[in-house]
Amino acid sequence: MARKTTTDDPLAPVTLAVGQEELLLDRAVQQVVAAARAADPDTDVRDLTPDALQPGTLAELTSPSLFAERKVVVVRNAQDLSADTIKDVKGYLGAPAEEITLVLLHAGAAKGKGLLDAARKAGAREVACPKMTKPADRLAFVRSEFRATGRSATPEACQALVDAIGSDLRELASAVSQLVADVEGTIDEAIVARYYTGRAEASSFTVADRAVEGRAAEALEALRWAVSTGVPPVLITSALAQGVRAIGKLASAPRNARPGDLARELGMPPWKIDRVRQQMRGWSADGVAVALRAVAEADAGVKGGGDDPAYALEKAVVTIVRAARAGRGQP
């Protein structure tokens, strides 16, 4: 049996990421991969879902290499592995291979608890990734995000950001990054208000999501709320561009590719692959091109090339909605 340890070394033989918060799970994986590639830039990373990890697959992936290359093997949704594959993983836990880091992502519930217990008994490094359902937890998360950047934010600013953005940890993390990049010195409530005050639904990402989904009324409503409550127009054009580009990237990817493979290839987290797949119905290559031109025109308009930034944004949203609806036979 592997020696039990409390190490927090990302290159520990086995890392166990437990919970259902996708952002934290992805970060746990990214931390291990970054540490491995810092030690060896040629590290081979295998990101697997339960259907891809059949009995015997783990033995193949962890067998000694002629070139002794470092490898990271990520197993997502480990609680859904088949009984035979769980036996393989438990066997591996007793004698992990050199130069290989196994990362098990487990929801932490009753399903697959035997594997969870076995990994803990074997001394796996554990990373907690709990779903943050309480406002106090999200507030603590925002504070920790600011601390991680070495920047200072007042308690009132952190609370205002949670109130404005809502429960999506990815949007909260993105908002912190945006503020840190744009603002010098301590971030206070007035700065947050200038960027994000308004209904949580009025975030720039919500405008983009409703637009690429072809939901005209909701997209325009979210846009008008965002503009009226002071969300910077450049954030909205940036979100629109990201939304349309994601459609284009996924549309050109192999249709039978797994989310984990697509995530690595396209530079998107797996949760976003699933969301974009739902949004892309009805889109065509021509529609993506038209929408991107509209976003570029709006971006120029809000950066001084036009007289009315709000009109430039509204025009872009309408064009994107039409492009999204065109393939569905809708006007």
Side-chain angles (χ1 to χ4, degrees), residues 143-187:
R143 289 172 176 163
S144 70
E145 289 291 289
F146 279 117
R147 282 197 300 270
T149 67
R151 295 292 300 280
S152 176
T154 67
E156 294 79 10
C158 294
Q159 184 63 62
L161 198 58
V162 171
D163 291 342
I165 300 298
S167 61
D168 191 317
L169 251 58
R170 293 186 186 278
E171 289 199 21
L172 286 168
S174 177
V176 170
S177 297
Q178 183 71 51
L179 289 169
V180 167
D182 285 2
V183 179
E184 295 182 358
T186 299
I187 295 165

Side-chain angles (χ1 to χ4, degrees), residues 17-286:
V18 184
Q20 299 178 43
E21 183 53 66
E22 291 295 330
L23 173 64
L24 301 183
L25 290 168
D26 283 343
R27 284 184 173 182
V29 173
Q30 291 163 9
Q31 183 188 32
V32 172
V33 171
R37 287 186 167 152
D40 180 359
D42 295 324
T43 294
D44 181 21
V45 179
R46 303 297 180 91
D47 198 323
L48 306 171
T49 52
D51 62 311
L53 196 66
Q54 300 300 319
T57 303
L58 184 62
E60 293 176 9
L61 291 173
T62 57
S63 60
S65 167
L66 178 64
F67 303 102
E69 66 180 357
R70 183 177 290 277
K71 186 179 293 184
V72 175
V73 178
V74 180
V75 180
R76 296 183 182 273
N77 299 313
Q79 72 278 357
D80 295 331
L81 292 171
S82 68
D84 287 338
T85 303
I86 287 177
K87 289 181 182 178
D88 287 351
V89 177
K90 287 182 176 179
Y92 176 82
L93 292 172
E98 293 289 334
E99 300 299 313
I100 292 177
T101 299
L102 176 65
V103 185
L104 299 174
L105 275 58
H106 194 292
K111 186 178 182 181
K113 189 174 185 297
L115 177 58
L116 189 64
D117 292 341
R120 286 169 170 162
K121 187 175 181 181
R125 165 182 176 262
E126 186 166 339
V127 180
C129 306
K131 198 74 175 176
M132 295 190 182
T133 58
K134 298 179 180 178
D137 292 338
R138 294 192 288 273
L139 182 59
F141 171 77
V142 168
R143 289 172 176 163
S144 70
E145 289 291 289
F146 279 117
R147 282 197 300 270
T149 67
R151 295 292 300 280
S152 176
T154 67
E156 294 79 10
C158 294
Q159 184 63 62
L161 198 58
V162 171
D163 291 342
I165 300 298
S167 61
D168 191 317
L169 251 58
R170 293 186 186 278
E171 289 199 21
L172 286 168
S174 177
V176 170
S177 297
Q178 183 71 51
L179 289 169
V180 167
D182 285 2
V183 179
E184 295 182 358
T186 299
I187 295 165
D188 59 20
E189 187 176 9
I191 291 170
V192 173
R194 191 165 73 242
Y195 274 75
Y196 295 106
T197 295
R199 301 187 322 181
E201 296 83 11
S203 76
S204 55
F205 294 106
T206 300
V207 177
D209 284 341
R210 299 296 86 79
V212 299
E213 290 162 4
R215 295 157 65 174
E218 293 174 44
L220 289 172
E221 180 189 8
L223 172 64
R224 288 161 187 163
W225 268 100
V227 171
S228 68
T229 54
V231 175
V234 292
L235 293 185
I236 300 174
T237 56
S238 175
L240 291 172
Q242 291 180 45
V244 176
R245 286 183 188 130
I247 297 285
K249 285 182 179 181
L250 193 55
S252 62
R255 291 184 178 275
N256 59 348
R258 292 187 292 268
D261 296 332
L262 287 174
R264 290 193 301 277
E265 182 179 344
L266 304 180
M268 300 180 193
W271 68 269
K272 190 168 184 178
I273 297 290
D274 293 335
R275 177 184 290 181
V276 176
R277 273 181 168 160
Q278 295 172 4
Q279 294 173 333
M280 65 185 288
R281 185 173 61 87
W283 278 89
S284 65
D286 287 341

